């Protein structure tokens, strides 16, 4: 009897072709078929590495039928590699259906790890990574986008979203509307490519950098939003100073003075003081 095939889930580069792994190249060359999100894009990658494995299309519009076909191919003993246009399949890319089906039916599913924009961005952003929430793409419509941003507002974890050049400015406006101009974030653009850039600062600062230069609005973006700090993380001395200043000025101004005097981030102090005042009401 024919032994069943294996489904390999293979990460490919997100810009710089040198980021492909040796193992990915070996598996792409050795399998019987490559299931690719876009066979023309796959051809560019495979030609570059002189890999001649036959490709079949597997994308959002044919995944139901194609999953059934791929399962048949696995049953017939074929080894299959799944790739997407860039990065890791299933991470905001097609693949979920075939991976779930292959597992349900007892086929071996093997990850071949490599690039993913979310991990590349977090690894070099200098923002907290001990815990993070990955929200995928923000919705295209303003209200839905603001709702999704609101949902992470109180979370202590860094929140990461993918965004396209079409909506980056609208998205920054929504961040102001929901989180305020002072919220700290890092945006990674065009990772591993020629114009790779990182923008870090308050929403207002990053917005000024990106909106002031049309070139900075081009390409692909990863948005990383700082989580809300627990009150206990914030310097108690700063909070005491804010409380002393509060009878004479608004909370925002007091937080600004405390941050300048004792160090720390104005928006964190502001939020922490807001929490304390709410709790003591
Ligand atoms: N599967 C991919 C991965 O593992 O990262 C993600 C594919 S998703 C369809 C495409 C989105 O990922 C882009 O709109 C952008 O937000 C992000 N992205 C992909 N490549 C990127 C890069 N080189 N630099 C910055 N963001 C990138």
């Amino acid at each position: 009897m024919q032994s069943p095939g294996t489904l390999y889930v293979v990460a490919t580069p997100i810009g710089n072709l040198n980021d492909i792994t040796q193992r990915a190249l070996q598996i792409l060359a050795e399998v019987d078929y490559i299931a690719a999100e876009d066979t023309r894009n796959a051809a560019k990658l495979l030609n570059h590495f002189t890999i001649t494995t036959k490709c079949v299309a597997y994308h959002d519009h044919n995944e139901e039928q194609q999953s059934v076909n791929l399962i048949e191919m696995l049953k017939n003993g074929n080894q299959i590699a799944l790739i997407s246009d860039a990065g890791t399949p299933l991470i905001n890319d097609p693949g979920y259906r075939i991976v779930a089906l292959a597992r349900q039916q007892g086929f071996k599913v093997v990850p071949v790890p490599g690039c993913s924009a979310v991990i590349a961005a977090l690894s070099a952003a200098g923002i907290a990574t001990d815990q993070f929430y990955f929200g995928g793409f923000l919705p295209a419509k303003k209200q839905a986008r603001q709702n999704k941003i609101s949902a992470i507002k109180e979370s202590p974890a860094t929140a990461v979203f993918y965004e396209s050049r079409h909506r980056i400015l609208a998205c920054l406006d929504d961040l102001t509307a929901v989180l305020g101009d002072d919220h700290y974030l890092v945006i990674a653009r065009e990772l591993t490519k020629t114009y790779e850039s990182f923008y870090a600062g308050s929403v207002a600062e990053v917005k000024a950098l990106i909106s002031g230069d049309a070139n900075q609005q081009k390409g692909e973006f990863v948005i990383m939003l700082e989580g809300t700090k627990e009150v206990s993380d914030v310097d108690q001395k700063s909070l005491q100073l804010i409380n002393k200043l509060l009878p004479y000025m608004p909370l925002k101004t007091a937080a600004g003075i405390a941050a300048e005097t004792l160090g720390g981030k104005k928006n964190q102090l502001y939020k922490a003081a807001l929490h304390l005042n709410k709790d003591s009401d």
Side-chain angles (χ1 to χ4, degrees), residues 11-16 37 84-94 114-121 134 136-137 161-165 187-193 196-197 219-223:
T12 59
I14 55 170
N16 188 328
E37 180 181 4
S84 63
D85 280 348
T88 303
L90 278 84
I91 306 302
N92 283 97
D93 266 341
C115 293
S116 193
V118 50
I119 300 300
F134 176 55
F137 278 106
F161 296 103
Y162 282 168
E163 191 51 280
S164 82
R165 67 198 154 91
I187 293 188
R189 183 177 80 93
E190 292 291 84
L191 289 161
T192 78
K193 304 185 201 176
E196 178 181 272
S197 339
E220 303 187 279
F221 298 84
V222 181
I223 299 174

Side-chain angles (χ1 to χ4, degrees), residues 46-58:
L46 299 173
N47 286 342
H48 181 85
F49 293 107
T50 53
I51 292 173
T52 54
T53 309
K54 189 172 164 30
C55 284
V56 295
Y58 176 95

